[in-house]
């Protein structure tokens, strides 16, 4: 059974701190790993990672995939209160019946940034 | 603007009263999916559809039905809702580099 595990489940830090969120996976046929940010609404896309060791960056957020360790990290530097959200990791795998791929989600990391 | 439109945003109902949550996308995506999100359990897939008239069960399909008569619409039907179906529901369509485009969510409470 495909599995995606995120850690920590919850994290509280002060504004300005740097945080690292973890995502590990056990899947039979890896295609890509995606990160989403969810505030009080639908998840919004952050990054898609397919190749090991290549960092994706967007402002203060960055992410990297390690296919050998079957994991990914999401870094947020100089955190702001607006970074408070649930961060979801998902791994794309093909459905066993063929056709479109599916996403298996982790349970998310609830990040709270205190002023 | 590319979007997934989901209605209603909030719904409170009673046990056993049939309801439908609508979902529509304007991106001509073939693949659509329904998820429910519960605290501590993350996003779990209910049903998905790979094209018109093609639907299949996800991880938690019990108590739900779907239909895909047209490419753009993928309604979620609860024939006889129960309190354990109280949850936050998301419709999504699948395509491009962003993979999943999510609807804005439906917070359902079944009393």
């Amino acid at each position: 059974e495909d599995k995606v595990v995120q850690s920590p489940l919850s994290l509280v830090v002060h504004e300005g701190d740097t945080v690292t969120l973890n995502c590990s996976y056990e899947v039979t046929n890896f295609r890509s790993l995606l990160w989403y940010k969810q505030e009080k609404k639908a998840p919004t896309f952050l990054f898609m990672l397919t190749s090991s060791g290549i960092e994706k960056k967007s402002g203060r957020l960055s992410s990297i995939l390690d296919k050998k360790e079957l994991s990914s990290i999401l870094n947020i530097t100089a955190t702001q209160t607006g970074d408070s959200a649930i961060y979801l990791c998902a791994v794309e795998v093909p459905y066993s019946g063929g056709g479109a791929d599916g996403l298996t989600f982790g349970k998310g990391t609830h990040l709270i940034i205190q002023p | 603007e590319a979007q997934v439109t989901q209605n209603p945003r909030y719904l409170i109902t009673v046990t056993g009263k049939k309801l439908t949550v609508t979902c529509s996308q304007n991106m001509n995506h073939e693949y659509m999916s329904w998820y429910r999100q519960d605290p501590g359990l993350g996003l779990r897939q209910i049903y998905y559809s790979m094209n018109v008239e093609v639907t299949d069960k996800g991880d938690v399909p019990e108590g739900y039905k779907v239909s895909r008569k047209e490419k753009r619409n993928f309604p979620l039907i609860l024939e006889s809702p129960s309190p354990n179906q109280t949850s936050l529901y998301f419709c999504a369509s699948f395509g491009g580099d962003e993979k999943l485009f999510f609807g804005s969510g439906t917070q359902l409470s079944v009393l």
Side-chain angles (χ1 to χ4, degrees):
Chain A
E1 183 187 337
D2 296 331
K3 193 162 62 170
V4 177
V5 178
Q6 289 186 247
S7 63
L9 288 180
S10 184
L11 183 59
V12 181
V13 300
H14 288 293
E15 205 167 16
D17 289 350
T18 294
V19 297
T20 299
L21 310 182
N22 298 285
C23 176
S24 63
Y25 59 90
E26 291 177 30
V27 300
T28 48
N29 246 320
F30 176 89
R31 293 243 174 121
S32 66
L33 186 144
L34 299 100
W35 285 96
Y36 289 86
K37 177 183 181 182
Q38 185 180 20
E39 298 168 271
K40 291 182 181 177
K41 50 187 183 208
T44 54
F45 173 79
L46 292 175
F47 299 111
M48 184 177 78
L49 306 161
T50 53
S51 301
S52 217
I54 298 176
E55 186 183 54
K56 294 266 181 116
K57 202 168 167 61
S58 175
R60 295 175 294 102
L61 278 68
S62 63
S63 184
I64 196 161
L65 175 67
D66 186 338
K67 282 187 177 178
K68 190 176 172 188
E69 296 295 326
L70 305 183
S71 66
S72 173
I73 58 171
L74 175 68
N75 276 323
I76 309 175
T77 59
T79 52
Q80 303 170 356
T81 54
D83 295 327
S84 296
I86 296 172
Y87 290 83
L88 296 167
C89 171
V91 173
E92 182 187 3
V93 296
Y95 280 107
S96 56
D101 298 340
L103 291 184
T104 298
F105 281 88
K107 293 181 182 178
T109 292
H110 189 184
L111 176 63
I112 298 172
I113 311 296
Q114 291 183 334
Chain B
E1 180 193 348
Q3 61 183 4
V4 177
T5 304
Q6 192 180 329
N7 282 298
R9 289 296 308 277
Y10 301 93
L11 180 57
I12 301 173
T13 189
V14 295
T15 299
K17 188 175 171 71
K18 181 179 177 180
L19 67 92
T20 299
V21 184
T22 63
C23 175
S24 179
Q25 51 99 0
N26 63 0
M27 294 165 280
N28 204 36
H29 288 161
E30 291 182 348
Y31 180 93
M32 297 183 74
S33 181
W34 275 102
Y35 294 88
R36 62 178 287 175
Q37 187 175 32
D38 303 287
L41 296 176
L43 276 165
R44 294 180 292 167
Q45 190 177 51
I46 304 171
Y47 267 94
Y48 64 95
S49 168
M50 289 193 282
N51 213 327
V52 175
E53 303 291 1
V54 181
T55 63
D56 208 346
K57 295 177 181 179
D59 300 316
V60 288
E62 292 76 23
Y64 304 95
K65 280 175 57 177
V66 292
S67 72
R68 190 88 182 275
K69 292 186 171 60
E70 314 160 274
K71 204 175 203 181
R72 62 182 291 123
N73 295 323
F74 189 43
L76 179 70
I77 303 153
L78 284 73
E79 294 270 2
S80 183
S82 61
N84 66 11
Q85 293 178 298
T86 292
S87 187
L88 177 59
Y89 291 86
F90 288 104
C91 177
S93 73
F94 196 82
D97 281 344
E98 287 196 22
K99 295 297 180 178
L100 279 185
F101 291 80
F102 285 92
S104 49
T106 296
Q107 181 64 59
L108 171 65
S109 295
V110 183
L111 306 177

